[in-house]
Amino acid sequence: MEELWLKVLDQDGSVKAESRGTDEVNLFFRGTYQEGDQIVFGTSSPKMFVWLQLDDALGRSLVYLTGNASYIIPFGEKRANISPKAFLGEKHLLSIKKAKDYEINSYRNVALNVNDQHKIQNVYPHALANVETRGESVFAAQNAIDGVTINSSHGEWPFESWGINQQEDAKLKLDFGREVEIDRIILYTRADFPHDNWWKQVSFSFSDKSSIIMKMEKSEKPHEITFERKKISWLEMHDMKKSEDPSPFPALTQIEVYGTEGSNKD
């Protein structure tokens, strides 16, 4: 049986709390996080699908682990894009649970990861971009896959988004870390009108060397496109064409990508 584990470490690497087990591990950390603290986690398997919860205020999501990982506890400005309840106080519930086959193989949003972070490694899906407005957390790429779809404003949580800093060559990449089979993309574009602009169309390129163009209208409602099933390991959103509205600020609140697992079901 595979072992799973969770640890809370301080800035010197000393263990503040730890839990190990098989199939499902819960860790209750009683204490206050300090700057420099991190949560490290992993499994004895080189690859595994797990349900991961690093804070009860963030919730949990199904992720694909390819090795040990470290999540840095955010402080200051780096907290602005998450719930203000997250990582605060003296009671913290963390969990990691091996996913069941029927959970792994279900048709679902394979882009969702509430635990994504800018520099995290070995945890998928993972979002990255060639620009994030002023480097601020409220405009980070990870915001586009955190499951928060409210798009009527901009700025601090729950209105975090991926901001492109008015950059025409902005690109957002979703790395799934393995092969998935997808046939649907849903975009929640930011709709804080008239502050925001909007995209008339965006392009998607895929690891299988195919591409599609998605046409859109000015709306606060989600935009959806379906297509023939593709087997891919990553996709990239690019060539966003903004409207003629006077605002220079189009942005993405959320991207959802629907499908199932590909040939790799470790």
Side-chain angles (χ1 to χ4, degrees):
M1 299 179 69
E2 296 94 349
E3 184 182 41
L4 299 89
W5 50 272
L6 288 160
K7 294 181 183 180
V8 177
L9 305 182
D10 67 16
Q11 62 180 351
D12 299 319
S14 298
V15 178
K16 302 177 75 169
E18 179 180 8
S19 186
R20 292 178 177 267
T22 57
D23 295 333
E24 181 175 3
V25 174
N26 292 294
L27 173 59
F28 176 57
F29 170 50
R30 186 185 292 274
T32 302
Y33 286 117
Q34 304 297 321
E35 195 156 2
D37 286 354
Q38 59 182 311
I39 300 168
V40 294
F41 52 94
T43 79
S44 59
S45 173
K47 299 176 182 178
M48 185 185 292
F49 289 93
V50 299
W51 288 99
L52 181 65
Q53 176 177 293
L54 300 181
D55 186 271
D56 49 282
L58 295 181
R60 68 173 192 163
S61 56
L62 181 61
V63 299
Y64 185 61
L65 295 186
T66 60
N68 297 337
S70 175
Y71 183 97
I72 306 301
I73 303 299
F75 281 83
E77 188 277 332
K78 297 302 181 183
R79 291 185 47 82
N81 62 332
I82 61 174
S83 168
K85 300 185 292 291
F87 304 111
L88 289 187
E90 297 182 348
K91 295 181 179 180
H92 312 279
L93 182 59
L94 299 75
S95 65
I96 184 171
K97 177 183 178 181
K98 183 178 180 181
K100 304 291 187 182
D101 286 345
Y102 61 83
E103 296 170 324
I104 298 169
N105 298 323
S106 64
Y107 184 82
R108 57 190 172 84
N109 175 17
V110 295
L112 177 64
N113 181 6
V114 302
N115 305 289
D116 196 28
Q117 198 171 53
H118 197 265
K119 294 184 179 180
I120 202 165
Q121 296 181 341
N122 301 325
V123 184
Y124 299 96
H126 176 56
L128 57 159
N130 66 341
V131 59
E132 297 170 331
T133 301
R134 296 184 297 274
E136 296 176 8
S137 66
V138 294
F139 301 121
Q142 69 193 61
N143 300 332
I145 60 171
D146 65 1
V148 181
T149 60
I150 185 170
N151 62 353
S152 57
S153 188
H154 69 283
E156 295 187 358
W157 183 92
F159 300 110
E160 69 278 10
S161 59
W162 173 49
I164 66 170
N165 202 34
Q166 305 179 52
Q167 192 164 310
E168 293 186 1
D169 65 346
K171 298 178 182 179
L172 176 75
K173 183 176 182 179
L174 293 188
D175 188 350
F176 299 103
R178 80 286 184 189
E179 187 178 79
V180 294
E181 298 184 15
I182 68 165
D183 60 9
R184 184 185 310 266
I185 295 174
I186 298 175
L187 297 182
Y188 290 81
T189 51
R190 214 174 61 197
D192 185 9
F193 307 126
H195 172 278
D196 288 341
N197 204 318
W198 54 281
W199 292 308
K200 297 185 293 185
Q201 71 175 48
V202 302
S203 297
F204 293 97
S205 296
F206 304 92
S207 61
D208 67 355
K209 299 183 179 180
S210 66
S211 61
I212 60 173
I213 294 176
M214 184 177 187
K215 302 288 188 178
M216 297 188 292
E217 298 178 349
K218 185 177 184 178
S219 178
E220 76 283 357
K221 295 181 179 179
H223 313 274
E224 181 172 347
I225 187 171
T226 59
F227 41 86
E228 290 188 7
R229 181 158 287 216
K230 299 177 180 293
K231 293 183 179 181
I232 64 166
S233 58
W234 56 262
L235 67 78
E236 188 173 74
M237 176 177 161
H238 58 95
D239 290 335
M240 289 85 78
K241 307 297 185 185
K242 73 177 188 295
S243 78
E244 290 74 25
D245 284 5
S247 167
F249 303 122
L252 179 66
T253 295
Q254 198 74 185
I255 178 171
E256 298 178 346
V257 182
Y258 284 88
T260 58
E261 290 303 313
S263 58
N264 300 317
K265 298 185 176 73
D266 300 280

